[in-house]
Amino acid sequence: MSRRAEQDVPGLVERARAGEARAVARLISLVEDESPLLREVMAALAPHTGNAQVIGITGSPGVGKSTSTNALVSELRASGKRVGVLAVDPSSPFSGGALLGDRVRMQDHALDRDVYIRSMASRGHLGGLAWTTPQALRVLDAAGCDVILVETVGVGQSEVEIAGLADTTMVLLAPGMGDGIQAAKAGILEIGDLYVVNKADRDGAEQVRRDLRSMLALAERPEGAWRPPILMTVAQKGEGLPEVVAAIDDHRSWLDSSGELARRRSRRARDEIEAIAVTALRSRWGDVHGRSELDELATAVVAGRTDPYAAADELLATFTD
Ligand SMILES: Nc1nc2c(ncn2[C@@H]2O[C@H](COP(=O)(O)OP(=O)(O)OP(=O)(O)O)[C@@H](O)[C@H]2O)c(=O)[nH]1
Ligand SMILES: [Mg+2]
């Protein structure tokens, strides 16, 4: 793509909407690079978003997220859906390569025009997925993806974040990963809309399912609340995947009928606005002549010349000037 074509935002958006993979790739690169063009990109994309169903897939390293994603893509393609896949690595500062999905590449779908696969780092100036992922989702959504699968490894806060980004969050577990009892600790019991025990061909899968079922049973759920199902799969062989797709569809119907879809999406938009606003604030407080306003105020607080409340007021006042 010529330099000029790379900068031509309306042209790029038009080509991305027509399903041109290179234009989609370029737009996502602009997101990753936090390009100054992003503002224009997001404005051009906005009228074309809101159609894609976003499915988060999370779980410990090696449980089979990429294998399951690959198998899910096959199922979804069989029903004629256009699919986007984002593999987000919240910890890596690198981008563009195969990060997650290293062990299993999704080569089955490499030549399919209606599947768009991308690995992405989340440098996260605000940490984790907050900044880049929602914008990459917008690109794929506007590019006409019916479903977007977001694979992210469940470490630290990231599984909680993915729950904020997705319409449906699928938590994967597998036997032999110490997942059974760990699940409670990792906080995954609150975030799953569906639970999948993968590697059902291995010993211990049934035990993981039983443990999970008894832990989920302890959660109090109000009348009419969604009750997360537990499914068993052998992702390598595609076994159990049609049932997973059916459960995703059931969850989608519940999201629509309960009004939860609208609530989740508006919460997501709120988080996104907040992330952008906070980033803008932070950049205003950034270093000016080697020392930031914030540093000056911190020094004053430490020295007892002012207190943190007054300092915060002073910081905010720099915006209304
Ligand atoms: N026995 C068995 N092995 C599986 C199954 N699904 C995946 N695997 C294997 O488990 C390993 C890890 O699979 P991945 O799909 O790469 O797992 P992942 O969760 O994406 O891994 P990371 O991205 O590194 O966190 C691979 O060697 C897979 O072939 C399954 O159903 N049964
Ligand atoms: Mg993977």
Side-chain angles (χ1 to χ4, degrees):
M1 215 179 287
S2 73
R3 178 97 193 130
R4 208 211 224 115
E6 287 189 2
Q7 302 283 337
D8 167 23
V9 169
L12 272 175
V13 167
E14 198 178 309
R15 289 203 301 283
R17 291 195 59 221
E20 199 190 294
R22 286 212 310 168
V24 176
R26 176 67 190 145
L27 289 174
I28 295 182
S29 296
L30 292 176
V31 169
E32 278 189 311
D33 298 343
E34 294 177 25
S35 160
L37 293 174
L38 268 189
R39 185 174 282 264
E40 192 186 342
V41 170
M42 290 304 143
L45 294 178
H48 311 294
T49 55
N51 299 314
Q53 184 181 3
V54 180
I55 305 188
I57 300 171
T58 192
S60 305
V63 287
K65 296 180 294 298
S66 298
T67 311
S68 302
T69 300
N70 188 56
L72 264 179
V73 171
S74 302
E75 289 292 324
L76 293 164
R77 287 298 299 129
S79 58
K81 297 223 162 86
R82 187 171 216 197
V83 188
V85 177
L86 267 189
V88 183
D89 190 332
S91 58
S92 172
F94 305 108
S95 66
L99 292 162
L100 295 173
D102 236 355
R103 296 175 219 205
V104 174
R105 309 231 173 164
M106 290 171 222
Q107 273 156 355
D108 294 2
H109 307 289
L111 298 174
D112 188 337
R113 258 194 106 244
D114 287 313
V115 179
Y116 188 86
I117 299 171
R118 171 76 172 234
S119 277
M120 196 171 124
S122 175
R123 289 187 195 91
H125 286 217
L126 295 161
L129 309 180
W131 173 262
T132 42
T133 311
Q135 305 208 37
L137 289 173
R138 284 176 185 280
V139 172
L140 292 173
D141 186 357
C145 291
D146 300 300
V147 179
I148 306 171
L149 306 172
V150 186
E151 176 188 345
T152 184
V153 75
V155 279
Q157 292 297 304
S158 66
E159 63 268 76
V160 178
E161 289 178 4
I162 196 62
L165 288 174
D167 298 325
T168 299
T169 300
M170 183 170 137
V171 175
L172 253 69
L173 298 99
M177 319 274 314
D179 263 328
I181 299 306
Q182 301 287 332
K185 280 193 210 145
I188 64 161
L189 291 173
E190 286 97 62
I191 65 158
D193 297 307
L194 39 142
Y195 291 87
V196 175
V197 180
N198 186 41
K199 308 196 186 182
D201 53 331
R202 292 222 181 136
D203 285 349
E206 189 50 41
Q207 188 60 45
V208 173
R209 188 173 74 97
R210 276 199 298 269
D211 289 349
L212 187 60
R213 195 169 52 188
S214 48
M215 284 188 287
L216 286 172
L218 296 176
E220 284 191 31
R221 296 179 201 278
E223 191 65 30
W226 173 255
R227 286 173 197 278
I230 303 174
L231 299 125
M232 306 285 277
T233 58
V234 183
Q236 262 172 339
K237 297 186 184 149
E239 287 172 24
L241 267 299
E243 288 79 3
V244 171
V245 171
I248 290 170
D249 288 345
D250 284 350
H251 185 244
R252 175 58 197 250
S253 304
W254 176 82
L255 285 172
D256 284 330
S257 64
S258 64
E260 179 66 13
L261 186 67
R263 277 195 292 278
R264 284 188 186 196
R265 288 188 171 180
S266 88
R267 208 182 308 141
R268 195 194 302 171
R270 251 187 67 127
D271 290 348
E272 215 179 330
I273 296 165
E274 209 170 68
I276 292 168
V278 170
T279 304
L281 286 168
R282 288 211 173 129
S283 72
R284 290 274 288 267
W285 298 332
D287 294 321
V288 185
H289 310 303
R291 203 162 160 75
S292 75
E293 181 82 22
L294 191 53
D295 287 330
E296 305 283 354
L297 289 164
T299 307
V301 169
V302 171
R305 287 198 301 278
T306 185
D307 67 277
Y309 285 94
D313 285 344
E314 214 175 303
L315 196 55
L316 290 171
T318 60
F319 280 87
T320 47
D321 290 348

